[in-house]
Amino acid sequence: MKGIYFINEKWVMNDYKTLDESLEIQKESISSFISTNSIETIKLNPYQLNDYYTIPHALYYDLKQTKPQIDCLIIYSEKVIEDFIESYPARWLVLKSFFNKVVFLDEVQSYHYQDIV
């Protein structure tokens, strides 16, 4: 199974967390999900610094260039990407179409991919 994950480095979970804590929680949760479900993470752009995407427009651009079909896009929460969804609804629909499933980890009771598809 192949997947791509998105982390918002500028998103703060709530008033009780710092930016660094929010980033660490996103990374740990997604890493655990990837490990538990034996997901192979894909890096579309060889010049990309991280194994994950931090800019939705960059992900969209790379998907349009390579036109892959990937099993899942993993995001900690819809709140992480809601500004993009609200600002670019049509682009979000196209971006989602490259994946069989978009997984928001905060909505998943059990972190097993097979249970949510």
Side-chain angles (χ1 to χ4, degrees), residues 23-38:
L23 181 59
E24 195 59 35
I25 289 169
Q26 287 182 78
K27 286 181 178 180
E28 287 176 9
S29 297
I30 291 172
S31 177
S32 175
F33 180 81
I34 288 169
S35 177
T36 300
N37 293 284
S38 302

Side-chain angles (χ1 to χ4, degrees), residues 24-76:
E24 195 59 35
I25 289 169
Q26 287 182 78
K27 286 181 178 180
E28 287 176 9
S29 297
I30 291 172
S31 177
S32 175
F33 180 81
I34 288 169
S35 177
T36 300
N37 293 284
S38 302
I39 296 173
E40 175 190 350
T41 57
I42 304 300
K43 196 171 184 179
L44 300 174
N45 182 343
Y47 301 107
Q48 184 177 316
L49 296 176
N50 300 308
D51 289 337
Y52 54 88
Y53 279 86
T54 59
I55 302 169
H57 294 287
L59 174 57
Y60 175 81
Y61 177 81
D62 289 349
L63 289 166
K64 293 272 294 184
Q65 295 293 64
T66 59
K67 297 184 178 31
Q69 190 61 23
I70 301 171
D71 296 308
C72 60
L73 171 62
I74 306 159
I75 304 173
Y76 178 78

Side-chain angles (χ1 to χ4, degrees), residues 94-113:
V94 174
L95 192 150
K96 286 189 339 180
S97 73
F98 287 98
F99 302 93
N100 294 333
K101 179 77 176 167
V102 176
V103 179
F104 295 111
L105 295 186
D106 68 337
E107 296 176 0
V108 179
Q109 296 291 338
S110 170
Y111 289 101
H112 294 285
Y113 182 77

Side-chain angles (χ1 to χ4, degrees), residues 9-32:
E9 295 178 332
K10 296 180 176 149
W11 178 70
V12 178
M13 291 182 81
N14 56 38
D15 296 336
Y16 306 107
K17 302 285 183 198
T18 66
L19 187 60
D20 289 337
E21 288 172 322
S22 296
L23 181 59
E24 195 59 35
I25 289 169
Q26 287 182 78
K27 286 181 178 180
E28 287 176 9
S29 297
I30 291 172
S31 177
S32 175

